[in-house]
Amino acid sequence: FYPYDGKAVHELASVTKSVMTTLVAIAADQGKLRLDQPMVSFFPRRTIANRDARKERISVRHLASMSSGLDSVGKEGDEGTLKEMKASKDWVQFSLDRSAVWEPGTHFIYDSPAIHLLSPILQEATGMTALEFARRNLFEPLGIREAIWSTDPQDHNRGSEGIYLHPRDAAKIGYLWLHKGVWEGRRIVSRRWVEDSVKTQIRTGGDDDYGYGWWITPENGVYTAAGRGGQYIKVV
């Protein structure tokens, strides 16, 4: 965003979602969590409202593919649900307490609070904040030395937004995907995750479908990490 001069790290908005899902995948590769593990299992010390059989079936995978079924006003009005979350004292509790209004895996709803939940899930599973885990397992291997990541009121890094990187470092993430998760001969992310993340996991009803944190344009094979205001990592 203006006035960017190349000297400082750059706000990437919802490009953060693609980084967040990547970190969850790396944690799964390490055996720290399972992608089909129920969302609620990561929050044993919380009392969760509207807890029913449908909500019990929401998995990490559903959160990553925007198909959790949690009540949200959707893409056109995602700001509405996002503002409600940000107005709350506990973003995680707000996100968890919503009703499950669709069967998980059946409906696409652009839902930033659902992706935010991946950050406390990662923290519960690894004992590290998302930024700490990213530095050790993604940023340092890619030679990314400068990063800022905003936090929620309970100091979880914001799962759906808030990463600041140099554009040249954001490009490294796209290059990592172009090479199926390998950077300079080192496997950073599993090939299976990279390939699955940019396949259609849920149809959106629009021109682009959704994988795991990435937008897919089916007719030409381009996939994109996209953020508010024209922040893009595009892979062709």
Side-chain angles (χ1 to χ4, degrees), residues 125-164:
T126 66
M128 289 183 274
T129 67
L131 180 56
E132 290 167 342
F133 189 82
R135 282 179 173 148
R136 181 177 298 182
N137 296 283
L138 182 63
F139 294 166
E140 287 180 7
L142 298 187
I144 296 174
R145 295 178 177 83
E146 288 186 81
I148 295 172
W149 197 342
S150 303
T151 59
D152 73 6
Q154 280 68 46
D155 291 327
H156 304 106
N157 293 113
R158 300 183 183 188
S160 67
E161 60 174 22
I163 278 185
Y164 293 69

Side-chain angles (χ1 to χ4, degrees), residues 23 34 58 66-67 151 180 219:
L23 299 179
R34 292 178 289 105
I58 298 171
M66 299 276 198
S67 65
T151 59
K180 307 296 185 184
E219 67 266 19

Side-chain angles (χ1 to χ4, degrees), residues 22-33:
T22 297
L23 299 179
V24 166
I26 293 171
D29 292 343
Q30 295 176 354
K32 301 286 179 61
L33 58 82

Side-chain angles (χ1 to χ4, degrees), residues 140-203:
E140 287 180 7
L142 298 187
I144 296 174
R145 295 178 177 83
E146 288 186 81
I148 295 172
W149 197 342
S150 303
T151 59
D152 73 6
Q154 280 68 46
D155 291 327
H156 304 106
N157 293 113
R158 300 183 183 188
S160 67
E161 60 174 22
I163 278 185
Y164 293 69
L165 298 173
H166 289 287
R168 62 179 174 270
D169 286 336
K172 292 176 181 179
I173 296 169
Y175 196 76
L176 178 69
W177 246 244
L178 188 66
H179 291 272
K180 307 296 185 184
V182 173
W183 178 265
E184 295 182 345
R186 177 180 172 183
R187 169 69 59 191
I188 307 298
V189 192
S190 71
R191 182 185 182 106
R192 179 177 179 182
W193 175 265
V194 172
E195 291 177 345
D196 286 350
S197 72
V198 294
K199 290 177 182 174
T200 297
Q201 299 298 331
I202 190 80
R203 298 201 178 278

